Amino acid sequence: MIRSWHLGDDRQSLVLASFDDRLPEAVYWGPALPTGENLETLSAAALADVTGGMVDRSAGLSLCPEASESFPGQTGLTARNASGAPLMPSFRFESEAASEHGLTLVFADNSLDLSLVFDLVLTPETSLLKLQTRLESANEITVDWLAAPVLPVPAHTGEMIEFSGRWCAEFLTRRLPFAPGARVRDNRTGRTDHAHFPGLVVCNAGTSNTAGEAFAFHYGWSGGHKMVAEELADGRRQVQFGHATASLASGRHFVSAPLYATYSATGLNGAAVRFQRHVRDHVVQGARTPRPVHYNCWEAVYFKHDLDELKAIASQAAGLGAERFVLDDGWFGRRDDDTSSLGDWVIDKRKYPDGLTPLIDHIKALGMEFGIWFEPEMVNEDSDLCRAHPDWVLGHADQIRGRQQLVLDMSNQEVRDYLYAHIADVLKNNDIGYIKWDHNRILPVVDAEQAEGFYELVDRLRSDFPAVEIESCSSGGGRIDFGVLERTHRVWLSDSNDALERQRIQHDAALFLPASVTGSHVGPRHCHTSGRTLDIRLRAWTAAQRHMGFEMDPRELSEAEAETLRNVTSWWKANRDWMMQADILRLDSTDPAVIAEQQLAGDGSRFVAFAALTRPSDQILPRPLRLTGLDPQGRYRLSLVNRDEAPRLSRGAPLLKHQDLEASGQYLMSHGLTLPWRFPETVWVVEGERL
Ligand code: GLA
């Protein structure tokens, strides 16, 4: 007997089938099937043959492949009973419930008193699947691994794009062949981490940004994930995501984080746009519009807080166009460097004898909002908190410190209450609109309760201070995922304010993140993390590609640099209303020295393309830059916004250098833009408008 279900829209179809009441398998996932397709026939047709060297029925690659079925690969659940014996459930269909855009499927193993529930939703506007597995047990059990609903990827996808990275180099992508055996990522850092963004794109050699097929995944969890991408001996391929191994404990209820997944027939951009829109419209809650231009004082003053100096900096930042001033690390306890005071969330009277009010009043008078830095989950041994509550520290006493700091045990209600009380006190007594919430080390213990405790604390603060926005920072991009973005409004993508590095990082992060949540700041002339010296035009245009801000000491700017920054910031402000709602389409540059993208308004009426030349090209002249996502029949007017940046060595007269261009979408996408020659480390900015 076959039961089948369909989740789909005009962009994709996912067909699930349960054979003889066993766990459901995705028997089809790909382009939208025509209405009227017979699901039962498809399901029956998906049953594979059996030959020598196999058991007598091919074990289902179900939403949770089972050990009891002799599944020849990684199973979706590993659990033990109270005495430690492995549990090998064999689930059978119990019930189903359909909602407007989703399905809940319940399966049970009555002999073990276990039930397994799959919550499956397809959000219609964004065509993103949101999939969760729940396990309920009548008895106390231990679960070592519970995958979110497991999906197969088809045989014609031979490659995967994986994410790794490091501090100042988040979202590094790597294209790997799908090969027999399992590619396993088990993130043991206890946080999302720079090195383990929980995403995967399965595609093939022909998939580019703008064309080809892609199956894309993201696991929305901040406690560290595990991923398995496996090719079985029989040729089938599966993708599993769940919490990192050993982060689940004993209990009766277990639930995976949501796995977000989508099929795109239109290249990586097809998937990227769905993730971007989903984050913007369904994950992030209550982000203020327009997005204000930031000023963050970290790289200007570090721990040296002097009221008069900060006021002078704020005045200058406001003059450049900043609308939100974020007071970074150093305002609390006796925090003169990074060896002390985390945990003592009390304003430092030595630096601020009259509290923060004089600074805040000054900032408000300049028309800016005030924001402040916290690192709530952390503690220094040199702190009143640690002296009073050494037992609140997570992990054993002789663990290795990270940035001289230890981690508080967020599963402890007393810890959360303490943090809530102190943060709430600062928020109540000061006019604060924004928190930069940091998390600067990996955890000594991988434990889901730590991330759950963090979520609970943020949720409590959010509900009591709904007007306060939060930025997720973790030494830059160490905590970026849809779990944290459900509770915050912006991510500090990277501690690298090196605009060349940023170009690469923000380009790859756009596979998942919209501009509206992606912080990007104009750093100092001499970059503090890379040692490179970069021109203000590159720095300003790079920040203007995302949620813009400044982080240098504005007193270092020459008048000409300040003028450039003011101009680019005004340009950003004039465009942010539509740009922060636009889709970021990564362009397939034929020149590996060029990183290019096109931000296209949802209604297709306008766009802006940014093309950064990161180093000198191999060929003499710029290769045409092919645009994407336009109406081939439509006509567009294009303007090179910063044509005055063309250097004297550009001696010819490409049209865009001197005047606007009118052309069809077909021409712009097929031939592409002929841009003037320019120096490396520059960005061309081309605005387009549909006529
Ligand atoms: C982390 C953050 C920085 C800054 C410092 C302050 O490194 O990523 O942006 O806030 O902490 O200590």
Side-chain angles (χ1 to χ4, degrees):
M1 185 200 151
I2 302 178
R3 291 173 202 274
S4 46
W5 300 273
H6 179 235
L7 270 182
D9 58 16
D10 57 352
R11 290 165 278 184
Q12 62 181 322
S13 288
L14 176 69
V15 179
L16 301 169
S18 161
F19 300 95
D20 299 326
D21 284 343
R22 290 190 297 271
L23 290 180
E25 303 171 34
V27 292
Y28 175 87
W29 184 25
L33 294 169
T35 41
E37 185 85 58
N38 186 319
L39 299 185
E40 216 160 291
T41 306
L42 282 196
S43 306
L47 278 179
D49 203 356
V50 176
T51 182
M54 294 178 75
V55 291
D56 297 338
R57 175 173 61 75
S58 181
L61 200 171
S62 70
L63 297 184
C64 184
E66 291 172 296
S68 59
E69 286 245 299
S70 305
F71 183 73
Q74 306 281 316
T75 56
L77 168 67
T78 315
R80 291 170 276 144
N81 67 15
S83 49
L87 290 167
M88 303 251 283
S90 188
F91 289 103
R92 290 292 178 275
F93 178 80
E94 275 286 307
S95 65
E96 63 182 287
S99 59
E100 198 186 348
H101 301 295
L103 272 178
T104 296
L105 304 176
V106 183
F107 290 74
D109 180 325
N110 294 325
S111 65
L112 294 174
D113 281 331
L114 292 174
S115 57
L116 195 63
V117 183
F118 302 108
D119 292 307
L120 317 165
V121 178
L122 178 68
T123 306
E125 303 83 33
T126 55
S127 198
L128 206 61
L129 292 158
K130 182 179 181 189
L131 314 168
Q132 257 178 302
T133 306
R134 276 185 281 145
L135 176 70
E136 313 280 346
S137 170
N139 310 302
E140 180 100 352
I141 59 169
T142 300
V143 169
D144 299 309
W145 171 241
L146 176 67
V150 176
L151 291 174
V153 283
H156 59 267
T157 55
E159 294 188 351
M160 56 181 124
I161 300 175
E162 255 208 5
F163 298 87
S164 58
R166 61 167 165 80
W167 179 68
C168 286
E170 292 80 351
F171 287 90
L172 286 173
T173 58
R174 202 176 296 269
R175 234 163 150 134
L176 303 171
F178 231 115
R183 168 88 185 155
V184 178
R185 297 291 298 267
D186 200 358
N187 170 5
R188 311 269 316 159
T189 67
R191 64 173 176 184
T192 324
D193 206 60
H194 309 76
H196 301 281
F197 176 74
L200 180 75
V201 182
V202 179
C203 58
N204 55 44
T207 305
S208 65
N209 288 316
T210 54
E213 287 190 294
F215 296 81
F217 303 84
H218 169 69
Y219 191 62
W221 169 240
S222 310
H225 79 291
K226 174 176 162 181
M227 178 204 84
V228 180
E230 183 176 35
E231 182 174 309
L232 305 176
D234 59 36
R236 289 178 295 174
R237 292 177 180 151
Q238 63 161 336
V239 172
Q240 299 193 0
F241 275 89
H243 288 15
T245 306
S247 62
L248 289 169
S250 301
R252 292 190 164 84
H253 310 284
F254 305 86
V255 60
S256 74
L259 174 65
Y260 298 89
T262 197
Y263 161 77
S264 158
T266 50
L268 303 179
N269 284 340
V273 163
R274 292 182 203 165
F275 284 115
Q276 291 168 17
R277 291 184 179 183
H278 200 80
V279 168
R280 200 183 57 213
D281 302 336
H282 298 278
V283 176
V284 171
Q285 304 292 326
R288 266 196 286 293
T289 51
R291 308 301 290 140
V293 176
H294 273 225
Y295 177 77
N296 181 299
C297 68
W298 176 239
E299 295 201 347
V301 299
Y302 292 103
F303 298 100
K304 196 176 149 287
H305 290 206
D306 174 90
L307 184 58
D308 290 335
E309 214 176 15
L310 285 168
K311 282 183 178 172
I313 289 173
S315 300
Q316 250 184 291
L320 293 165
E323 299 162 310
R324 175 185 272 162
F325 180 100
V326 181
L327 184 68
D328 212 282
D329 196 353
W331 57 269
F332 55 91
R334 297 175 70 81
R335 180 92 166 156
D336 296 333
D337 56 33
D338 61 13
T339 60
S340 87
S341 301
L342 291 174
D344 298 345
W345 301 110
V346 177
I347 298 162
D348 186 343
K349 289 277 181 206
R350 298 169 310 156
K351 298 178 187 172
Y352 299 98
D354 301 314
L356 293 172
T357 310
L359 178 61
I360 296 179
D361 285 350
H362 179 81
I363 283 162
K364 302 288 287 192
L366 291 165
M368 286 193 286
E369 181 182 278
F370 181 76
I372 194 162
W373 183 93
F374 282 98
E375 195 180 4
E377 296 137 275
M378 300 291 160
V379 66
N380 285 114
E381 279 150 300
D382 182 5
S383 67
D384 293 342
L385 178 65
C386 202
R387 282 182 282 273
H389 295 285
D391 52 314
W392 284 5
V393 168
L394 185 71
H396 59 83
D398 64 348
Q399 60 179 280
I400 303 178
R401 275 61 177 156
R403 207 193 189 198
Q404 282 85 232
Q405 64 200 47
L406 294 163
V407 185
L408 293 170
D409 178 359
M410 296 297 289
S411 70
N412 182 340
Q413 181 70 48
E414 281 184 276
V415 170
R416 296 197 300 267
D417 287 346
Y418 168 89
L419 291 171
Y420 175 84
H422 282 75
I423 298 170
D425 196 53
V426 176
L427 296 180
K428 272 185 213 141
N429 295 316
N430 298 283
D431 189 352
I432 293 176
Y434 189 79
I435 292 177
K436 178 177 174 188
W437 187 303
D438 217 329
H439 182 283
N440 279 315
R441 55 158 292 173
I442 62 172
L443 303 187
V445 179
V446 186
D447 185 346
E449 288 194 338
Q450 188 69 14
E452 280 155 9
F454 157 64
Y455 284 170
E456 195 192 272
L457 176 62
V458 190
D459 290 346
R460 193 171 161 199
L461 286 161
R462 282 293 312 278
S463 89
D464 291 353
F465 300 92
V468 176
E469 280 197 13
I470 303 180
E471 169 169 39
S472 175
C473 174
S474 178
S475 303
R479 187 153 62 188
I480 299 177
D481 58 77
F482 292 11
V484 81
L485 278 165
E486 278 177 23
R487 317 176 144 80
T488 54
H489 307 87
R490 188 188 204 242
V491 296
W492 184 226
L493 184 63
S494 178
D495 271 353
S496 172
N497 283 322
D498 175 311
L500 289 175
E501 292 175 349
R502 275 275 162 169
Q503 280 288 338
R504 206 278 308 148
I505 302 169
Q506 56 196 29
H507 188 70
D508 287 329
L511 288 169
F512 296 91
L513 301 180
S516 54
V517 306
T518 310
S520 193
H521 294 174
V522 179
R525 188 185 303 126
H526 304 293
C527 177
H528 293 191
T529 52
S530 70
R532 249 196 301 233
T533 302
L534 296 170
D535 189 276
I536 188 68
R537 290 165 292 189
L538 172 71
R539 286 181 281 144
W541 285 120
T542 300
Q545 289 179 233
R546 297 293 184 268
H547 182 187
M548 188 173 192
F550 321 139
E551 194 160 336
M552 90 303 279
D553 186 336
R555 295 169 301 180
E556 78 165 35
L557 295 170
S558 68
E559 194 28 57
E561 286 172 328
E563 175 70 11
T564 301
L565 188 49
R566 268 193 299 274
N567 290 341
V568 175
T569 307
S570 323
W571 178 89
W572 188 79
K573 285 181 178 173
N575 286 282
R576 65 182 155 187
D577 284 349
W578 74 269
M579 270 175 61
M580 293 298 104
Q581 297 293 316
D583 298 326
I584 305 173
L585 304 173
R586 295 161 26 117
L587 294 176
D588 288 320
S589 166
T590 43
D591 183 342
V594 173
I595 296 177
E597 70 180 32
Q598 183 185 332
Q599 300 191 8
L600 179 63
D603 63 2
S605 61
R606 62 195 299 180
F607 63 84
V608 57
F610 297 94
L613 181 62
T614 59
R615 58 177 167 81
S617 297
D618 294 346
Q619 76 288 347
I620 298 174
L621 292 173
R623 293 198 162 129
L625 181 68
R626 304 208 309 168
L627 300 183
T628 190
L630 304 179
D631 174 1
Q633 303 305 319
R635 290 201 62 77
Y636 297 85
R637 181 185 301 118
L638 277 73
S639 177
L640 184 58
V641 178
N642 53 342
R643 52 171 61 108
D644 62 339
E645 289 184 30
R648 289 236 304 272
L649 268 177
S650 158
R651 299 189 295 139
L655 191 121
L656 273 170
K657 192 166 129 184
H658 301 289
Q659 66 184 74
D660 292 354
L661 159 72
E662 273 184 36
S664 68
Q666 186 65 268
Y667 172 82
L668 297 169
M669 293 192 291
S670 303
H671 181 277
L673 298 177
T674 305
L675 290 160
W677 188 94
R678 33 80 180 255
F679 289 131
E681 305 185 357
T682 54
V683 184
W684 281 135
V685 184
V686 180
E687 279 176 330
E689 179 196 355
R690 189 173 176 159
L691 298 172

